Amino acid sequence: MAGPENGLKLRKVNNDSEVNAEKLQVGRVVVPTAEGMKRDKELDSHVEYEFGGPWGVVAIMTGFPLLMYYLWICLVFYDGQLVHPTSVDDIKPFLWRMWEHVRVDASPNAYAWKVYTGLIVYQLFLAWVVPGYMQEGLPVPSLNYRTLMYKCNAIGCIYVTMITAAVLHYFNIFRLTEIIDNFGHLMTVAMIYGFGVSFFMYFITVATGNQIRMSGNFIYDVFMGACLNPRIGPIDLKMWLEVRIPWVIVFFMSVSGACKQYETYGYVTPNMAFMCLATWLYLNACGKGEECIPQTWDMFHEKWGFLVIFWNFAGVPFSYIYSVVYMASHDPEKYRFSTPTYVALYATLLTAYYIWDTAMSQKSRFKMQSQGITSYRKTFPQLPWGTIKNPSYIQTAHGNRLLTDGWWRYSRKPNYVADWVMSLTWGLVQGTCSPIPYFYSVFFIVVLIHRCSRDFERCAIKYGKDWEKYCSIVKYKFIPGIY
């Protein structure tokens, strides 16, 4: 159990606090050092704008949905090639052509509303009723260092969803092939949910006085979020949305593409099977390692705003699997590879997945060990080297520990490196047929570099000289020996 030896102190919650925090399922209070509390207060204050400030987030909120439409149109209607006006005089007709594609093939039709809303309602229902593992999160400074309890039942919900979908497909109640055929319509509905939930959460949070770390600029605060721990009963909405919607859609979009291929050609290509495997690995990992999510920065510090909400409702499920959309609508002869190429592709995916899975597990379980948690879930698959016994670390003046063992002795973000390699294979699976499926890996590396700069800046503030010591031991940010 965490104690004075690692700079953290346990404090019993008083009765009034227990009553007030009951809805948040408080576990206990874990207080850092006085220096740690000082640093946390600084981090929990709005100091400067990110993402280019108000104008930058307006550009993101308007530009990214437009980019999603453009890439989808190029992929489906222009053979996967990037199109543009052929002349100055063609600009207006070009924009009208783009709009016509959206109006006809991406309208928020009844099918899309029924399917997307049904998924949300079903996933909320399963999250509420399916039994789950209760995991303690990290101390939250804004809650006076209370730790929150998280119900981790995603793995059960995921497979109940798969069984449900298989039964509905078998009895022709809901054909999986229809999902990929309605990609544009579903994407628009997802965007509407992304915007709607973002603004709703901002207004309801401010109205109830639960806002935190606000800048005072309306649109910027909608983008970054106002609330930190949104919950409905036993469901932590932030953690729920991170897994149950985006990765479930990504997986079923791949399965839909495979079903469509089978119905059209009588077989499923190794390329489409690769995407089914890749998306299943990611979805299953999010479910089987869900108890590791409460230990992340996303849960205890990142607010629930447009940045997170829109991305999980629409960004991830409709911009990460362009390769599936392309392959489902094109002749397999265009992207057929040699056997050695397939072997290399599958081997790269599985190697990157192993490093990503075990790196995430090592870090999360190290944080659990620091809290005195030594009993872990045994969900499938438990990979070798997922837990480090007696790891080396740096004890900080803040009270936390910085891991310098396992994969984390070689790189400060080994999970990011492996995650990016996996994203690259999602584009490589269709070769050079279209540049659009590579959007995921190109966009992802930009996001990861930006996120690293944010993380490292905050760590420098939080840990001071201890962070400098850590950087002298773990020298490389990403790739060992290179960067």
Side-chain angles (χ1 to χ4, degrees):
M1 180 172 285
E5 71 277 6
N6 63 13
L8 301 175
K9 297 179 181 179
L10 300 182
R11 185 176 72 204
K12 192 172 183 180
V13 185
N14 62 51
N15 291 333
D16 291 337
S17 296
E18 285 179 346
V19 172
N20 295 334
E22 184 178 355
K23 292 182 180 179
L24 288 176
Q25 295 178 303
V26 171
R28 54 180 174 163
V29 175
V30 185
V31 184
T33 62
E35 177 66 19
M37 295 178 72
K38 178 182 176 182
R39 303 270 182 164
D40 287 335
K41 186 176 181 180
E42 183 178 350
L43 284 171
D44 253 348
S45 303
H46 172 76
V47 179
E48 60 184 15
Y49 286 120
E50 299 180 80
F51 300 99
W55 286 109
V57 301
V58 167
I60 293 172
M61 293 172 74
T62 55
F64 198 81
L66 293 176
L67 178 61
M68 290 172 65
Y69 278 126
Y70 170 73
L71 293 177
W72 164 72
I73 291 170
C74 292
L75 198 63
V76 174
F77 300 102
Y78 296 93
D79 198 31
Q81 304 308 306
L82 299 175
V83 295
H84 54 79
T86 56
S87 65
V88 174
D89 292 335
D90 188 44
I91 292 177
K92 187 175 180 179
F94 173 82
L95 294 176
W96 276 113
R97 290 194 297 272
M98 296 295 105
W99 164 245
E100 190 65 12
H101 288 305
V102 173
R103 186 186 69 82
V104 175
D105 296 290
S107 59
N109 62 14
Y111 173 89
W113 280 111
K114 179 177 64 176
V115 172
Y116 203 96
T117 304
L119 175 66
I120 292 174
V121 172
Y122 192 47
Q123 292 304 315
L124 283 171
F125 170 74
L126 292 178
W128 194 295
V129 302
V130 172
Y133 179 90
M134 297 304 297
Q135 176 63 50
E136 183 181 21
L138 294 177
V140 182
S142 58
L143 294 178
N144 294 322
Y145 295 97
R146 294 177 176 86
T147 62
L148 302 180
M149 300 302 295
Y150 293 81
K151 184 181 180 182
C152 301
N153 61 358
I155 193 71
C157 298
I158 288 168
Y159 284 96
V160 169
T161 303
M162 289 182 184
I163 294 170
T164 303
V167 171
L168 294 176
H169 178 78
Y170 180 80
F171 288 104
N172 291 312
I173 299 172
F174 175 70
R175 298 293 293 173
L176 292 174
T177 49
E178 295 174 355
I179 301 175
I180 198 78
D181 291 335
N182 286 273
F183 186 93
H185 303 291
L186 289 165
M187 180 171 66
T188 296
V189 171
M191 289 183 186
I192 294 172
Y193 268 109
F195 276 96
V197 173
S198 298
F199 280 91
F200 173 79
M201 287 306 304
Y202 171 83
F203 286 121
I204 196 69
T205 302
V206 172
T208 55
N210 292 316
Q211 67 269 30
I212 180 177
R213 222 181 305 132
M214 304 292 277
S215 71
N217 181 277
F218 169 69
I219 198 65
Y220 183 82
D221 287 333
V222 169
F223 181 84
M224 296 301 292
C227 58
L228 182 61
N229 306 110
R231 294 196 166 198
I232 298 177
I235 305 171
D236 184 276
L237 292 174
K238 192 161 56 170
M239 189 167 79
W240 171 84
L241 184 57
E242 188 165 309
V243 177
R244 315 303 175 90
I245 299 300
W247 296 109
V248 167
I249 294 176
V250 164
F251 171 73
F252 278 105
M253 201 68 76
S254 298
V255 172
S256 179
C259 290
K260 187 174 179 64
Q261 265 194 351
Y262 187 80
E263 287 190 356
T264 304
Y265 302 104
Y267 65 93
V268 175
T269 64
N271 312 65
M272 192 68 81
F274 175 92
M275 287 306 299
C276 289
L277 172 64
T279 54
W280 172 79
L281 284 172
Y282 217 105
L283 175 60
N284 186 74
C286 290
K288 68 122 177 175
E290 189 182 19
E291 80 279 7
C292 299
I293 297 177
Q295 314 298 322
T296 63
W297 180 269
D298 290 354
M299 288 300 107
F300 86 94
H301 185 83
E302 207 77 87
K303 295 186 292 182
W304 208 47
F306 181 91
L307 174 63
V308 176
I309 295 171
F310 182 88
W311 192 240
N312 283 318
F313 270 124
V316 170
F318 294 97
S319 66
Y320 280 14
I321 42 91
Y322 287 137
S323 56
V324 172
V325 179
Y326 179 85
M327 291 188 294
S329 58
H330 287 78
D331 190 331
E333 290 300 324
K334 288 192 172 185
Y335 50 85
R336 193 177 301 279
F337 303 152
S338 65
T339 299
T341 302
Y342 283 123
V343 171
L345 191 63
Y346 276 80
T348 301
L349 170 69
L350 294 174
T351 301
Y353 173 79
Y354 172 77
I355 296 173
W356 174 74
D357 186 300
T358 52
M360 295 289 285
S361 177
Q362 287 175 0
K363 187 67 168 285
S364 295
R365 289 181 174 175
F366 169 73
K367 291 179 179 179
M368 293 178 196
Q369 292 167 357
S370 299
Q371 290 180 269
I373 302 170
T374 57
S375 177
Y376 314 117
R377 295 172 79 194
K378 299 296 181 183
T379 46
F380 176 82
Q382 291 297 309
L383 301 177
W385 214 32
T387 304
I388 308 171
K389 295 181 179 179
N390 301 314
S392 60
Y393 59 85
I394 294 174
Q395 179 63 59
T396 69
H398 177 281
N400 292 349
R401 296 170 174 176
L402 299 175
L403 179 62
T404 57
D405 211 336
W407 293 114
W408 302 85
R409 78 176 69 173
Y410 306 110
S411 166
R412 296 176 212 164
K413 295 292 184 181
N415 56 323
Y416 283 7
V417 178
D419 206 354
W420 182 79
V421 171
M422 286 193 289
S423 75
L424 179 62
T425 65
W426 290 25
L428 291 172
V429 73
Q430 53 86 57
T432 58
C433 295
S434 170
I436 296 173
Y438 290 97
F439 169 80
Y440 174 22
S441 58
V442 172
F443 174 77
F444 199 32
I445 192 64
V446 174
V447 169
L448 292 180
I449 291 173
H450 177 262
R451 179 157 188 169
C452 271
S453 66
R454 293 175 71 205
D455 290 351
F456 295 159
E457 181 180 344
R458 286 166 179 160
C459 286
I461 295 172
K462 187 172 185 176
Y463 300 119
K465 292 184 178 179
D466 291 320
W467 180 249
E468 295 176 8
K469 181 180 178 181
Y470 170 78
C471 292
S472 69
I473 296 174
V474 184
K475 300 180 185 297
Y476 297 100
K477 296 178 180 179
F478 286 103
I479 305 173
I482 298 178
Y483 177 70

